[in-house]
Amino acid sequence: MLKIDGITRRFGQVTALDGVSLEIGQGEFFALLGPSGCGKTTLLRIIAGFETPDDGTVTLDGDDLLALPPNRRPISLMFQSYALFPHMTVAKNVAYGLEREKLPREEIRRRVGEVLETVGLSAHGDRKPAQLSGGQRQRVALARSIVKRPRLLLLDEPLSALDKKVRADMQLELKRLQHEVGITFVVVTHDQEEAMSLADRIAVFDSGSVRQVDEPVALYERPRSPFVAGFVGANNLFRGTARTGGVDAGELGELAGTPLEELEEGAAALLCVRPEQIVLHRSGDPADGNAGDAESGEPVEALEGSVLDVSFYGGVSHLSVEVPGHAKPVLVAVQGASAVQPGAKVRLGWDAGDAVVIPATP
Ligand code: ATP
């Protein structure tokens, strides 16, 4: 439905977007994810029409979108700040865009009623924005964005102003709404958990370029570059040389993993293993000395180290483990409270199928 092809935008010396190409399907919930300054907002502004690219094309259903002025594009943009009119009621705020289009009064009343119902604010139509909670204001902004029935809704960091609990609720709400209204959503965020929980597909940006486009699970389990492996979720990265069954990590020895298909043996590589995939044994435990069995799929205990720190988060605990010969502590996640204390000597292992081996260069 939306086709972005070779978009480049420079600001003086800065190349905000460097030949970005993406295809977004009808009804998709699509996220643009990346660190601050990587060009996400610039791309959103180009789609909305507030910014002109130096090069490239954008089409919507095959029609040239860049030729249309912003107000003629079938697109709504929801800002971080919501930008609600403080002196107008909720219903008036939502009706504003339709009134400007001079739609019949009765149609406006009906459509505003319907959309307030959709976002669960039917009882609050007569309130002013100041009389609402942050989450409710967020819903008014959403209602105002969808009441005009755009083909595409662009959301710039839509949940960043909300506190953690409300944010989690609103994530669910946004997802439900998107399904209900069937409008294609493109959301910009620097929060990888938010992108993964919301989106059907995610494009990961780095310095004006797209590094990977994938579904959340694929992005998490099969990052294809060091940038994505390090940016999306916590990860342990071990540098070495690609081998059929993992990497040769020099001083650390052979580490088990599954190389990406395109990776050639002998190439400079990174082995990536998630904290929750690592199995930890205390040295001296009955289970210790069990070297595992790669054939039977049991984790092979690969590394030895000592626990530096244990942090309890309720459902999980995070342990950082110092491994001689590896610069960064290895992060291990265990269910619930950890039985292991700082200072304990431990052995770490994982299943070869749970670690991915990727090229060391982008
Ligand atoms: P954030 O998450 O912080 O909003 P972003 O990924 O959305 O970041 P952009 O706002 O798209 O990043 O900016 C990309 C780059 O282009 C940055 O280096 C920024 O400083 C630069 N930039 C953006 N707009 C302009 C402008 N109008 N003039 C000059 N430089 C700009």
Side-chain angles (χ1 to χ4, degrees):
M1 170 191 163
L2 184 72
K3 188 158 188 250
I4 296 161
D5 197 8
I7 288 289
T8 295
R9 177 68 169 111
R10 295 182 202 90
F11 297 104
Q13 298 292 314
V14 178
T15 303
L17 294 168
D18 191 6
V20 167
S21 298
L22 288 172
E23 288 188 33
I24 299 173
Q26 163 66 40
E28 245 192 320
F29 201 140
F30 196 90
L32 310 178
L33 171 69
S36 182
C38 68
K40 320 174 289 286
T41 302
T42 303
L43 183 59
L44 211 65
R45 290 172 54 81
I46 287 173
I47 300 169
F50 302 131
E51 194 77 71
T52 312
D54 296 312
D55 207 358
T57 58
V58 182
T59 58
L60 187 68
D61 298 324
D63 297 330
D64 181 11
L65 197 61
L66 300 180
L68 296 175
N71 60 349
R72 299 271 310 282
R73 301 185 185 191
I75 292 176
S76 276
L77 179 60
M78 201 178 97
F79 295 101
Q80 247 167 58
S81 58
Y82 318 151
L84 300 177
F85 299 114
H87 59 285
M88 289 186 192
T89 63
V90 165
K92 274 281 181 196
N93 262 287
V94 176
Y96 183 77
L98 302 180
E99 282 170 354
R100 280 190 49 167
E101 285 184 3
K102 306 214 168 11
L103 292 184
R105 209 174 259 266
E106 183 48 32
E107 182 178 348
I108 295 177
R109 206 190 52 78
R110 183 174 50 76
R111 278 171 62 176
V112 169
E114 279 170 10
V115 82
L116 286 181
E117 172 95 42
T118 308
V119 299
L121 283 179
S122 296
H124 295 68
D126 294 331
R127 289 205 193 172
K128 299 273 174 64
Q131 297 168 306
L132 300 175
S133 71
Q136 289 168 334
R137 277 201 285 274
Q138 171 81 36
R139 287 187 211 172
V140 179
L142 255 174
R144 198 176 53 174
S145 303
I146 58 180
V147 76
K148 286 173 80 176
R149 299 183 185 149
R151 298 269 290 118
L152 194 64
L153 175 59
L154 309 175
L155 307 104
D156 191 357
E157 300 276 359
L159 308 179
S160 62
L162 304 173
D163 67 44
K164 208 173 166 190
K165 173 79 173 62
V166 181
R167 206 175 160 135
D169 289 346
M170 277 310 292
Q171 281 176 2
L172 290 176
E173 178 94 5
L174 256 188
K175 229 168 136 161
R176 177 188 68 78
L177 259 169
Q178 196 265 343
H179 276 279
E180 197 169 313
V181 297
I183 295 171
T184 306
F185 279 25
V186 178
V187 61
V188 158
T189 178
H190 64 273
D191 179 336
Q192 35 96 14
E193 278 183 16
E194 184 161 296
M196 287 202 283
S197 70
L198 285 176
D200 298 316
R201 283 193 309 146
I202 301 171
V204 183
F205 279 69
D206 174 29
S207 316
S209 298
V210 175
R211 293 276 173 246
Q212 188 169 344
V213 182
D214 248 320
E215 293 175 7
V217 174
L219 204 61
Y220 188 80
E221 290 183 350
R222 311 277 291 166
R224 308 191 80 85
S225 64
F227 179 80
V228 175
F231 187 73
V232 180
N235 221 336
N236 296 292
L237 307 177
F238 299 94
R239 199 165 281 279
T241 308
R243 294 279 176 262
T244 320
V247 296
D248 177 351
E251 201 183 322
L252 297 178
E254 297 260 341
L255 303 178
T258 309
L260 292 181
E261 317 76 57
E262 67 269 24
L263 192 66
E264 289 185 11
E265 198 164 344
L270 280 182
L271 180 133
C272 319
V273 58
R274 298 286 179 186
E276 67 275 17
Q277 304 294 2
I278 298 184
V279 181
L280 175 142
H281 287 301
R282 225 180 325 203
S283 297
D285 269 1
D288 187 37
N290 163 17
D293 180 352
E295 300 266 304
S296 70
E298 260 182 65
V300 179
E301 287 178 8
L303 300 171
E304 282 185 70
S306 47
V307 176
L308 285 177
D309 184 58
V310 180
S311 311
F312 177 57
Y313 289 94
V316 293
S317 295
H318 288 179
L319 293 88
S320 64
V321 178
E322 186 173 36
V323 172
H326 189 56
K328 278 181 103 177
V330 176
L331 190 64
V332 182
V334 298
Q335 291 288 323
S338 164
V340 180
Q341 301 302 320
K345 298 276 178 256
V346 292
R347 299 168 71 90
L348 308 176
W350 55 85
D351 202 285
D354 292 331
V356 58
V357 183
I358 66 171
T361 44

